[in-house]
Amino acid sequence: MLGKTHLVSSEAIALTAVNYYSQTNHATVPIVITTLLFASVGLGSLLPDVDSRNSELNKTPIFGFIYNHFFINVKHRGFTHTIWNVFLFMGISLLLEPHHFLISVAVFGVSIGILIHIIEDSYSNNKVDIWYPFGSHHSIKHKRLIHYKVGGFTEQSMYVLFWVLLVVSLKNAYLLYLN
């Protein structure tokens, strides 16, 4: 999946979840928390592709430097696309929560963005081995009802649909914070 689709879909899913939480619990999530989650989920949604030369993050000076010094010879969709990264960031978030709540929220958001990214990539024609190095997707043959080609019609359609969901979620969030 292209970076722009990862970003839009992850933001739409996260904001929809925050809105749903606010509406079902009749307690609006503070705007600082919502904004922090929104930004950190966006970062997390792009982070697994730090091992790809063409990723959106690697076009920035900081991540370009990281790629050139640490990931230039790393296989794309290797260890950066594993469930272990989600567990790592969630663990860090849990450790930080009692003393640094806002940092904990940001790290949690990054873990959610990574998780959404991995789930999305698992439906592409290029599979992801989420248990690497303990398993191999080549040994597990499964047929998926839904799959897409990176940059293809299905992904472009998903991009448009997630934009619609994001706009609706932004409108709902605006209405929630108005009350």
Side-chain angles (χ1 to χ4, degrees):
M1 187 173 277
L2 298 173
K4 66 181 187 175
T5 311
H6 277 303
L7 185 62
V8 169
S9 60
S10 297
E11 298 289 28
I13 292 167
L15 191 55
T16 300
V18 169
N19 289 344
Y20 178 78
Y21 174 85
S22 293
Q23 290 173 343
T24 57
N25 292 305
H26 305 291
T28 305
V29 176
I31 195 147
V32 171
I33 303 296
T34 302
T35 304
L36 193 55
L37 275 172
F38 195 75
S40 59
V41 166
L43 174 63
S45 74
L46 298 174
L47 202 55
D49 284 338
V50 74
D51 63 357
S52 172
R53 176 184 310 278
N54 300 322
S55 82
E56 294 298 318
L57 281 181
N58 291 340
K59 294 176 184 173
T60 65
I62 293 171
F63 285 98
F65 175 84
I66 292 170
Y67 172 78
N68 287 328
H69 288 84
F70 300 104
F71 291 99
I72 198 156
N73 294 318
V74 173
K75 177 185 148 249
H76 180 52
R77 291 192 176 183
F79 75 90
T80 62
H81 282 72
T82 64
I83 200 72
W84 310 118
N85 290 311
V86 177
F87 293 156
L88 173 69
F89 280 92
M90 284 198 175
I92 292 169
S93 175
L94 286 172
L95 290 172
L96 290 172
E97 195 269 330
H99 307 289
H100 305 284
F101 180 71
L102 291 179
I103 296 171
S104 173
V105 168
V107 174
F108 177 76
V110 169
S111 69
I112 295 301
I114 292 170
L115 179 62
I116 293 170
H117 180 113
I118 292 169
I119 291 169
E120 291 168 343
D121 275 0
S122 71
Y123 286 96
S124 76
N125 290 340
N126 306 323
K127 296 177 181 131
V128 174
D129 182 12
I130 64 168
W131 300 109
Y132 177 85
F134 299 110
S136 172
H137 67 270
H138 298 295
S139 64
I140 303 169
K141 298 290 182 190
H142 64 283
K143 295 198 179 227
R144 293 165 294 172
L145 183 61
I146 301 169
H147 64 278
Y148 65 90
K149 178 183 175 195
V150 175
F153 177 77
T154 304
E155 182 185 343
Q156 292 175 11
S157 300
M158 290 172 19
Y159 178 72
V160 171
L161 289 173
F162 277 116
W163 255 114
V164 170
L165 178 60
L166 181 59
V167 168
V168 169
S169 294
L170 285 167
K171 179 195 75 103
N172 289 340
Y174 176 74
L175 293 175
L176 278 170
Y177 289 110
L178 255 162
N179 293 332

